[in-house]
Amino acid sequence: MSSRGPLMSSLAVVNGLVWPPRHRATAVAVMGDRILATGSDHDVRAQCGRHTRVIDARGGSILPAFNDAHVHFLMASRSLAELDLYGAETQGEVERRIDAYAASHSGPWVIGRGWFYSAFPGGTPAVELLDRLVPDRPAYLESFDAHTGWANTRALEISGAFSTGVLKEAAMRGVTRHIPARSRDEDLEALRAGMRVAAEHGIGSVQEAGEGQDELELWDALRDADELTLRVRLAFDMVPGLDSAAWKERLTLYDDLAHGRRNDAWIAAGILKAFADGVVESGTAALLDPYIGTAGRGEPQWAPDELAEAVKAADARGWQVQVHAIGDAAIRQALDAFAGATIELRHRIEHIEAPSPLDLPRFAELGVIASMQPQHAEPNRNLLEIWLPNLGAERAAFGWPWRSILHSGARLAFGTDWPVVPLDPAASLHVAVTRQTRAGKPAGGWLPDQRLKLAEAVAAWTFGGAYAEHAEDQKGTLADGMLADIAVLDGNIVATPTSELHALKVTATIVGGRVVYES
Ligand SMILES: [Zn+2]
């Protein structure tokens, strides 16, 4: 290569619409694992040599690769080989899928996930039903949100669990710890399959919301074998019930595990994950006032000052903290815990389904990132027939208020919570800007004031995710010197009617300058 000529790119994407559209660029040049330049096709082709690989975007969109700010990647990857009940709207459909799976799989257990509460009378499945469908072996099927388990009698007998067959929150462990453990090779194979799903959907980075301390070794093994096609940041678990000395001891252990990984571009650490409550559907989200039709308010997982104390200790040692908080009481407890914490650490609240309107301005005031998953707010039967009646119309009117939070000056980071909903950014963008199902229901959208502009939603899926993991100087935008993490979509995203956003397909995904998917 001439030392005087222009730098030659190793890879180029041309003939597209480079995000954001106001820059009017049509092409991106990549050298090694970094972006060399963006510009016109003409400019970028001038930096292409004989050895440059050129990808034709065919008039589609060239975006920063998506960054899913909240996933359960290992759990979801494992479930790819199991029974999938997601999207089954009726009990009949659930039964049909269980039947078909049990008939064609001979394993010692029937394991699966994804059922909607709304598929069953009263929002709860029955043990007798699962006994009838799977009489010969233990069966354990998790709800779509991973907060409720449905077991048959064989599974309950093995577990010695005394239960109606429906297990909420921590009670799920009573059965799950008896399910035969997956081998390390099975887990590695699962992660490879999960990475393929991510690549097919234009995802370059995921942020694993918990259990990261147990996954480091698996991800390291994939990196050592040069098999990584996805960047991951692993949250370590922060649990209630430890006294101050025990929590500090745990933090010391975490400090050791995270050593040298705070800024690792592929397998990063530096954040802790806590659950403040459960979910609205099963009555375990923590509310300020009772659920409709009962005296229960749900159970906070942490004692009143306990969460704040644990956050304080973690914050003092430089740990970012993310707290799952769905009910208004849990969201308030999390915000209270972050009051007085270090703003630069960018603490986060996850989900934010039913906040009190009084708390919305506090995200911006405290510098707390709102990490939300638009597909959770898809106005399907589960939302309209279970979630909404449990809260009542008055509280439901503030459901997933991402536009209010953004416009108050707070930061948004979007994701899926895979396997809770599919790992599909296009489906997520669709709900974020329409507040409708893909069938366009309800007309005008559910709580349409909370619809985002497309640019706001794309930002939350790219820059917002990077900001939420302290990496916005490395990824999340397509600019010279940034990591070459790029998603190419088949359509012009700006010209696509919002009702069709969910149908956009990824035609190529590039991570670290490497093409990891091409359709
Ligand atoms: Zn989650």
Side-chain angles (χ1 to χ4, degrees):
M1 188 171 24
S2 157
S3 58
R4 293 179 191 201
L7 290 166
M8 285 298 150
S9 56
S10 48
L11 175 75
V13 188
V14 301
N15 188 25
L17 170 86
V18 177
W19 190 267
R22 66 187 142 82
H23 293 167
R24 296 180 182 280
T26 59
V28 179
V30 170
M31 189 166 65
D33 69 344
R34 299 275 164 178
I35 291 173
L36 181 61
T38 60
S40 67
D41 279 20
H42 180 267
D43 294 343
V44 164
R45 283 195 184 276
Q47 290 175 311
C48 293
R50 270 193 307 139
H51 301 293
T52 305
R53 178 168 175 187
V54 179
I55 292 178
D56 185 347
R58 297 170 193 274
S61 308
I62 305 172
L63 271 56
F66 296 113
N67 185 331
D68 193 321
H70 186 124
V71 289
H72 302 274
F73 200 85
L74 179 58
M75 181 205 283
S77 298
R78 285 170 171 168
S79 76
L80 288 172
E82 298 167 351
L83 167 58
D84 180 12
L85 296 173
Y86 184 82
E89 292 271 14
T90 63
Q91 187 175 313
E93 173 64 6
V94 170
E95 292 184 24
R96 194 193 60 72
R97 289 196 201 176
I98 296 173
D99 242 358
Y101 183 89
S104 59
H105 291 75
S106 59
W109 282 61
V110 170
I111 303 291
R113 67 173 328 285
W115 52 268
F116 288 170
Y117 298 84
S118 54
F120 304 100
T124 311
V127 64
E128 294 79 11
L129 175 60
L130 197 48
D131 282 344
R132 177 163 65 74
L133 294 167
V134 188
D136 58 328
R137 318 168 249 181
Y140 179 79
L141 306 172
E142 195 177 77
S143 58
F144 81 102
D145 56 20
H147 284 261
T148 308
W150 176 26
N152 68 358
T153 299
R154 298 286 288 264
L156 294 171
E157 281 168 0
I158 287 171
S159 312
F162 293 97
S163 152
T164 56
V166 175
L167 306 120
K168 296 181 184 182
E169 306 294 334
M172 295 160 69
R173 283 285 300 149
V175 171
T176 55
R177 63 197 169 85
H178 295 280
I179 296 173
R182 290 148 183 102
S183 70
R184 181 171 177 279
D185 282 344
E186 285 170 332
D187 276 343
L188 289 171
E189 202 46 47
L191 287 178
R192 289 183 191 106
M195 288 195 300
R196 284 194 294 274
V197 176
E200 283 164 18
H201 289 91
I203 293 169
S205 297
V206 294
Q207 301 176 44
E208 180 79 321
E211 300 182 353
Q213 69 280 357
D214 301 327
E215 294 181 26
L216 272 170
E217 189 273 331
L218 290 173
W219 289 100
D220 280 347
L222 291 174
R223 166 156 57 187
D224 291 347
D226 197 24
E227 291 185 72
L228 275 189
T229 58
L230 180 70
R231 306 180 193 279
V232 61
R233 189 171 191 235
L234 300 167
F236 297 173
D237 294 328
M238 172 170 162
V239 293
L242 301 180
D243 66 25
S244 155
W247 176 230
K248 284 179 179 154
E249 206 173 299
R250 177 81 66 94
L251 283 172
T252 301
L253 194 78
Y254 286 170
D255 282 337
D256 286 345
L257 281 177
H259 185 74
R261 296 180 184 270
R262 295 269 176 158
N263 298 309
D264 192 300
W266 285 99
I267 308 168
I271 190 165
L272 306 171
K273 161 79 183 294
F275 283 93
D277 66 348
V279 294
V280 169
E281 286 87 339
S282 69
T284 54
L287 301 181
L288 297 167
D289 295 310
Y291 283 89
I292 298 296
T294 77
R297 294 161 203 264
E299 288 281 306
Q301 307 250 330
W302 297 70
D305 295 326
E306 189 187 15
L307 181 63
E309 288 301 318
V311 166
K312 198 172 169 188
D315 180 276
R317 291 163 72 153
W319 283 90
Q320 186 183 13
V321 177
Q322 60 181 148
V323 178
H324 163 121
I326 282 182
D328 49 12
I331 294 166
R332 182 165 294 171
Q333 185 185 26
L335 287 165
D336 288 348
F338 291 141
T342 308
I343 285 195
E344 292 75 17
L345 286 174
R346 305 181 184 176
H347 299 306
R348 311 168 28 167
I349 299 182
E350 311 295 311
H351 310 315
I352 319 170
E353 293 191 7
S356 160
L358 299 175
D359 287 325
L360 295 184
R362 298 179 70 201
F363 286 86
E365 285 162 21
L366 299 173
V368 171
I369 292 170
S371 169
M372 303 178 78
Q373 300 75 33
Q375 287 141 290
H376 292 189
E378 182 184 343
N380 56 17
R381 286 188 56 193
N382 192 72
L383 183 148
L384 298 174
E385 295 174 17
I386 306 289
W387 186 91
L388 197 154
N390 279 358
L391 286 178
E394 206 176 313
R395 281 181 295 203
F398 297 95
W400 292 276
W402 44 67
R403 185 173 184 274
S404 297
I405 293 174
L406 179 66
H407 286 227
S408 72
R411 306 263 185 182
L412 280 183
F414 277 169
T416 57
D417 206 7
W418 191 47
V420 173
V421 298
L423 188 68
D424 185 350
S428 180
L429 292 172
H430 182 90
V431 179
V433 305
T434 66
R435 305 275 295 199
Q436 289 175 323
T437 66
R438 46 180 74 191
K441 296 210 171 112
W446 178 69
L447 307 180
D449 288 352
Q450 296 301 335
R451 288 177 301 188
L452 290 182
K453 292 200 172 81
L454 176 66
E456 294 169 330
V458 171
W461 257 105
T462 52
F463 181 86
Y467 186 89
E469 58 165 327
H470 295 271
E472 76 280 8
D473 60 341
Q474 296 294 314
K475 58 190 179 184
T477 45
L478 298 178
D480 308 4
M482 301 289 279
L483 288 170
D485 295 359
I486 301 167
V488 184
L489 273 52
D490 65 353
N492 177 330
I493 193 169
V494 179
T496 301
T498 55
S499 61
E500 296 301 319
L501 280 173
H502 66 85
L504 285 169
K505 291 270 177 294
V506 170
T507 57
T509 304
I510 295 155
V511 181
R514 230 158 89 174
V515 181
V516 300
Y517 172 75
E518 214 176 352
S519 65

